[in-house]
């Protein structure tokens, strides 16, 4: 009998009432390694009740107390990141170095959240009318829901719950059922750091658990990262139930390479950004827009670098691991056939890759497809795998037009040594995150993450200033005091708790 992963509610594991479970695979082996509980609507409601009760005291915890918990959590996470990385590799498949990188980027947001005292301040206007002052307060929302994706089972939850908890909210986290263990591990670590029981809860499950969060009247907000169709569903359903929503959707990220670019740098970037985490990133570069005059040379350089990559078990020092499931691997691989049918050139076919790992794993090697028509599904669909497409363009204007004509607007990049072209690109590209000679322009934690168009529903971005705005409600107070109040004598040094 395999292990069953329970929910984490009220500071401990909790089985709930539902008997439904799902399989959790090791994608490098192709075998089921455990079961995960699937919460019922009633289970989610019980978790919300627990979170609501915990919030009654957590919202009143001092800034000093909340800051101390966040600092302690950061230190514990840094000390034990290798343990978490091993969990990510075992359930997602990404190589250990990539897992550690994911944790590091999540930890940046934890560090940002440690500045909550500054980030939750209001504003004060004195004497707006005679004897009248106006000031604003930023107060926590209450119970907030987070629905995170399979591709970043540590980083994305850290993006959201670090700020939500620092701001004084309690949290229900619903991680992907494909790689759920990291969520429980993080919740247990927060408890170890001193977070009161019930402030961070984890419920596992499928659409039933998601809908229960979207519809529960006591869940004040929803934060989501995933595909565009599901992001749209989450946004529309949650807002119709009166909630604030951060709904970050899919992407088809382009990298425009101009003739004056450093082609070695561009080739390195295309490989790194196209095949890291097996292409299962919403910020992966999936399309290289190569200007005709340098396209042949660039494609040759990319293909040469791809030949040096080792695909295999993430624990063996490989460059790229498996895909998350067999179903997903087969779907991604099917686009290689589509490419041939649509007249594109398959330069490197990842289906024949020699792997360093168990043959039953969900393998697909790095794949390079040149001369992809923009009418092909290889171009239009978010493949979400290690398939890098090259679309040839006649210059800057055509490349920009393709980018701006895309349904998505998450991230994009330009590679050039022309400052004027770069400046023009950052102004003209209708995309939320721009890289200039940087292939994956994920902002640091004190800026905010989010795209445009079908990559973001609503206007609430993740972490950074947007994060604290999202997880707090502003209250304006207009006051007039006719008589000053006087305190007693106290010569001791001022104290705070």
């Amino acid at each position: 009998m395999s292990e069953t992963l329970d929910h984490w509610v009220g500071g401990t594991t909790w089985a709930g009432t539902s008997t439904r479970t799902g399989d959790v695979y090791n994608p490098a082996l192709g075998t089921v390694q455990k079961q995960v509980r699937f919460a019922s609507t009633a289970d989610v409601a019980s978790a919300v009740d627990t979170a609501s009760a915990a919030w009654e005291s957590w919202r009143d915890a001092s800034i000093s107390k909340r800051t101390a918990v966040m600092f302690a959590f950061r230190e514990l996470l840094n000390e034990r990141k290798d343990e978490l990385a091993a969990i990510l590799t075992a359930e997602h498949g990404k190589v250990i170095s990539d897992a550690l990188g994911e944790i590091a980027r999540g930890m940046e947001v934890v560090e940002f959240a440690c500045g909550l005292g500054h980030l939750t301040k209001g504003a004060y206007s004195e004497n707006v009318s005679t004897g009248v002052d106006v000031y604003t307060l930023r107060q926590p929302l209450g119970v907030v829901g987070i629905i995170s994706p399979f591709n970043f089972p540590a980083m994305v939850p850290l993006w959201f719950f670090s700020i939500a908890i620092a701001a004084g909210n309690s949290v229900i986290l619903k991680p992907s059922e494909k790689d759920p263990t990291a969520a429980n591990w993080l919740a247990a670590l927060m408890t170890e750091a001193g977070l009161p029981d019930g402030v961070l809860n984890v419920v596992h499950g499928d659409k039933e658990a998601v809908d229960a969060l979207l519809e529960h009247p006591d869940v004040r907000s929803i934060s989501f990262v995933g595909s565009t169709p599901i992001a749209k569903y989450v946004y529309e359903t949650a807002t119709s139930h009166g909630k604030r929503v951060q709904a970050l959707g899919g992407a088809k990220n382009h990298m425009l390479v101009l003739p004056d670019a450093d082609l070695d740098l561009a080739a390195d970037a295309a490989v790194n950004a196209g095949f890291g985490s097996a292409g299962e990133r919403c910020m992966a570069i999936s399309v290289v827009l190569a200007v005709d005059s340098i396209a042949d040379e660039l494609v040759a350089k990319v293909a040469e670098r791809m030949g040096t990559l080792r695909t295999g078990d993430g624990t063996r020092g490989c460059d790229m691991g498996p895909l998350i499931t067999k179903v997903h691997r087969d779907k991604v691989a099917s686009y290689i056939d589509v490419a041939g049918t649509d007249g594109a050139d398959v330069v490197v076919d990842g289906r024949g890759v020699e792997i360093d790992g168990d043959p039953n794993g969900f393998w697909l090697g790095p794949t390079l497809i040149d001369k992809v028509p923009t009418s092909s599904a290889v171009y239009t669909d978010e493949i979400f795998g290690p398939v890098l497409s090259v679309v040839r363009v006649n210059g800057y204007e055509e490349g920009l037009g393709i980018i701006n004509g895309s349904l998505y607007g998450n991230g994009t990049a330009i590679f050039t040594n022309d400052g004027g072209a770069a400046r023009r690109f950052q102004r003209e590209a209708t995309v939320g995150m721009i890289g200039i000679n940087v292939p994956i322009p994920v902002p640091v934690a004190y800026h905010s993450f989010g795209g445009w168009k079908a990559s973001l529903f609503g206007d609430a971005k993740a972490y950074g200033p947007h994060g604290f705005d999202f997880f707090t409600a502003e209250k304006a107070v207009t006051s007039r005091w006719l008589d000053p109040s006087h305190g007693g004598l106290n010569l001791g040094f001022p104290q705070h708790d």
Side-chain angles (χ1 to χ4, degrees), residues 285-374:
I285 290 296
S286 53
V287 179
V288 174
L289 300 171
V291 174
D292 289 324
S293 61
I294 51 88
D296 286 343
E297 183 180 0
L298 180 61
V299 169
K301 287 179 179 290
V302 170
E304 178 185 11
R305 286 158 171 76
M306 290 171 63
T308 68
L309 299 179
R310 284 175 57 217
T311 301
D313 194 309
T315 63
R316 300 186 185 182
C318 295
D319 300 296
M320 195 184 87
L323 275 74
I324 186 72
T325 64
K326 182 181 185 299
V327 170
H328 184 56
R329 188 273 314 277
D330 292 347
K331 180 180 178 182
V332 173
S334 72
Y335 283 95
I336 304 173
D337 287 328
V338 172
T341 301
D342 291 346
D345 293 342
V346 180
V347 180
V348 180
D349 189 335
R351 292 174 295 188
V353 68
E354 181 178 341
I355 56 98
D356 181 4
D358 191 294
N360 295 311
F362 307 138
W363 307 110
L364 180 66
T367 297
L368 179 63
I369 305 174
D370 190 14
K371 301 176 183 175
V372 176
T374 55

Side-chain angles (χ1 to χ4, degrees), residues 7 18 61 76 127 184 191 250 263 281 318 345 347 382 394 396 435:
H7 315 293
S18 172
L76 287 171
N127 220 39
N184 281 41
T191 299
L263 294 189
R281 293 171 173 163
C318 295
D345 293 342
V347 180
E382 184 185 23
N394 59 27
Y396 172 90

Side-chain angles (χ1 to χ4, degrees), residues 122-137 474-481:
Y124 198 105
S125 296
E126 185 181 34
N127 220 39
V128 297
S129 186
T130 304
V132 176
D133 304 329
V134 176
Y135 51 95
T136 54
L137 310 174
E474 186 177 78
K475 180 183 292 181
V477 180
T478 303
S479 71
R480 175 167 57 196
W481 296 97

Side-chain angles (χ1 to χ4, degrees), residues 168-194:
N169 302 282
S170 60
V171 173
I172 308 290
L173 168 61
K174 208 300 286 183
S176 170
E177 64 276 21
K178 295 181 177 69
D179 45 12
T181 303
N184 281 41
W185 189 93
L186 288 166
L189 200 70
M190 282 293 290
T191 299
E192 189 175 337

Side-chain angles (χ1 to χ4, degrees), residues 20-346:
R20 292 193 308 126
T21 61
D23 294 335
V24 179
Y25 284 84
N26 183 324
L29 302 177
T31 56
V32 176
Q33 56 181 315
K34 67 178 65 171
Q35 303 290 309
V36 60
R37 300 267 183 205
F38 280 6
S40 65
T41 300
D43 291 336
V44 172
S46 294
V48 172
D49 288 344
T50 298
S52 296
W55 179 66
E56 294 295 328
S57 57
W58 182 244
R59 66 179 176 182
D60 294 328
S62 68
I63 288 174
S64 297
K65 170 64 176 176
R66 283 184 267 147
T67 302
V69 169
M70 298 311 299
F71 268 107
F73 175 65
R74 189 268 176 202
E75 292 305 297
L76 287 171
L77 182 56
N78 189 50
E79 290 170 7
R80 295 169 57 184
K81 60 190 175 187
D82 290 341
E83 181 181 336
L84 179 57
I87 293 171
L88 303 184
T89 296
E91 291 189 359
H92 175 274
K94 64 182 63 180
V95 301
I96 289 288
S97 59
D98 193 24
L100 287 168
E102 170 183 347
I103 296 165
R105 292 309 302 265
M107 201 181 305
E108 288 180 7
V109 181
V110 179
E111 292 163 356
F112 175 71
C114 288
L116 66 101
H118 169 69
L119 296 162
T120 54
K121 290 189 299 186
Y124 198 105
S125 296
E126 185 181 34
N127 220 39
V128 297
S129 186
T130 304
V132 176
D133 304 329
V134 176
Y135 51 95
T136 54
L137 310 174
R138 302 208 65 87
Q139 298 182 330
L141 302 178
V143 179
V144 301
I146 298 168
I147 304 166
S148 61
F150 75 81
N151 58 327
F152 288 106
M155 184 183 74
V156 171
L158 288 168
W159 280 4
F160 294 121
F161 79 65
S162 301
I163 294 176
I165 290 170
N169 302 282
S170 60
V171 173
I172 308 290
L173 168 61
K174 208 300 286 183
S176 170
E177 64 276 21
K178 295 181 177 69
D179 45 12
T181 303
N184 281 41
W185 189 93
L186 288 166
L189 200 70
M190 282 293 290
T191 299
E192 189 175 337
L195 187 70
D197 295 346
V199 176
L200 176 57
N201 308 277
V202 180
V203 295
H204 301 288
D206 53 8
K207 187 175 184 295
E208 181 176 352
V210 169
D211 286 344
L213 282 174
L214 301 183
E215 297 171 4
H216 197 292
D218 293 337
V219 176
R220 296 289 308 281
S221 72
I222 294 290
S223 302
F224 172 86
V225 176
S227 69
T228 285
I230 305 303
K232 185 173 185 288
Y233 171 80
V234 166
Y235 180 78
E236 291 176 348
T237 305
T239 53
S240 72
H241 286 81
K243 305 183 193 313
R244 293 186 177 191
V245 183
Q246 296 168 303
L248 284 68
K252 193 75 176 183
N253 302 319
H254 301 72
M255 181 175 125
L256 176 59
V257 183
L258 299 187
D260 67 335
D262 181 325
L263 294 189
D264 287 314
L265 175 65
D268 288 343
V271 171
N272 294 338
F275 305 122
S277 196
E280 293 173 327
R281 293 171 173 163
C282 68
M283 289 296 286
I285 290 296
S286 53
V287 179
V288 174
L289 300 171
V291 174
D292 289 324
S293 61
I294 51 88
D296 286 343
E297 183 180 0
L298 180 61
V299 169
K301 287 179 179 290
V302 170
E304 178 185 11
R305 286 158 171 76
M306 290 171 63
T308 68
L309 299 179
R310 284 175 57 217
T311 301
D313 194 309
T315 63
R316 300 186 185 182
C318 295
D319 300 296
M320 195 184 87
L323 275 74
I324 186 72
T325 64
K326 182 181 185 299
V327 170
H328 184 56
R329 188 273 314 277
D330 292 347
K331 180 180 178 182
V332 173
S334 72
Y335 283 95
I336 304 173
D337 287 328
V338 172
T341 301
D342 291 346
D345 293 342
V346 180

